[in-house]
Amino acid sequence: MSGYTLHRRTVVARLLQDRGELLVLTGLGASAWDLASVSDSSLDFPLWGAMGGAAMFGLGLALAQPERRVVVFTGDGEMLMGLGSLSTIAVARPANLSLVVLDNELYGETGAQATHTAAGVDLEGVARACGFPTAMTLTEDRQIDGLRADLHTHQGPLLAVVKVAHSPDPMTLPPRDGTFLKNRMRAALLGPGAILE
């Protein structure tokens, strides 16, 4: 088991402090609950069951909204399932997209089995090999404020692997209705007339 000390919910709360107009997407499970513990904004879109899809969802939103900053929070298990997305994102090179991987080296949703990052798979290295201009691994509290600034100013894409301790945080559930989430974000970005039933 890892000896990391960063706490995922504290990290998410600090990264979203004074978030302004950031568009925030999450993968399924714990990353969605982490977001819901600090925010229920019309600029939030938690995915509920599309494991492996969060990074590509973020790419689509970043390309569709090039003037907006897009941040995706996901876990190591989901990022490992969607490794191919890193190559696609690197080729597309959206300047406004950041991926934050909350890496506890476990599949938290299925019983805390070790992921491949526990065996040495280096997500930062994979992103760099794919062509990400900015990729980093954070393990210390003092690094979080710098990442928060990067989410607002970097020319991306950016991937940040944040090594966090395993923590059985209580579920803080975001809205579960996909149509509601879609319409809420569409209205926030495009106006009330953009809502599609």
Side-chain angles (χ1 to χ4, degrees), residues 11-53:
V11 168
V12 171
R14 284 180 58 192
L15 291 177
L16 293 180
Q17 184 179 351
D18 302 320
R19 70 181 264 186
E21 298 295 306
L22 285 179
L23 305 182
V24 181
L25 311 175
T26 70
L28 79 169
S31 59
W33 307 335
D34 296 337
L35 175 62
S37 74
V38 298
S39 177
D40 183 28
S41 167
S42 60
L43 302 180
D44 297 343
F45 200 105
L47 293 178
W48 274 97
M51 186 169 178

Side-chain angles (χ1 to χ4, degrees), residues 79-170:
M79 195 69 257
L80 287 162
M81 179 175 272
L83 278 182
S85 64
L86 296 178
S87 59
T88 301
I89 291 167
V91 170
R93 296 190 75 79
N96 57 331
L97 178 61
S98 297
L99 306 178
V100 178
V101 181
L102 301 165
D103 182 3
N104 61 8
E105 302 182 351
L106 299 169
Y107 288 105
E109 307 315 306
T110 60
Q113 303 91 346
T115 68
H116 293 331
T117 62
V121 171
D122 177 3
L123 293 172
E124 174 191 347
V126 172
R128 287 188 183 281
C130 286
F132 270 62
T134 307
M136 62 191 79
T137 300
L138 289 69
T139 60
E140 298 180 18
D141 183 76
R142 63 180 176 81
Q143 299 172 295
I144 302 302
D145 290 338
L147 176 57
R148 183 175 70 233
D150 287 342
L151 299 182
H152 294 274
T153 61
H154 78 281
Q155 292 298 302
L158 174 149
L159 178 127
V161 178
V162 182
K163 292 288 194 171
V164 296
H166 175 60
S167 55
D169 298 305

Side-chain angles (χ1 to χ4, degrees), residues 41-46 57 61 175-197:
S41 167
S42 60
L43 302 180
D44 297 343
F45 200 105
F57 191 113
L61 189 58
R176 298 181 80 168
D177 184 322
T179 301
F180 167 77
L181 291 167
K182 173 198 72 171
N183 287 339
R184 181 174 76 168
M185 183 170 268
R186 284 182 65 88
L189 295 178
L190 305 173
I195 294 175
L196 302 174
E197 298 300 329

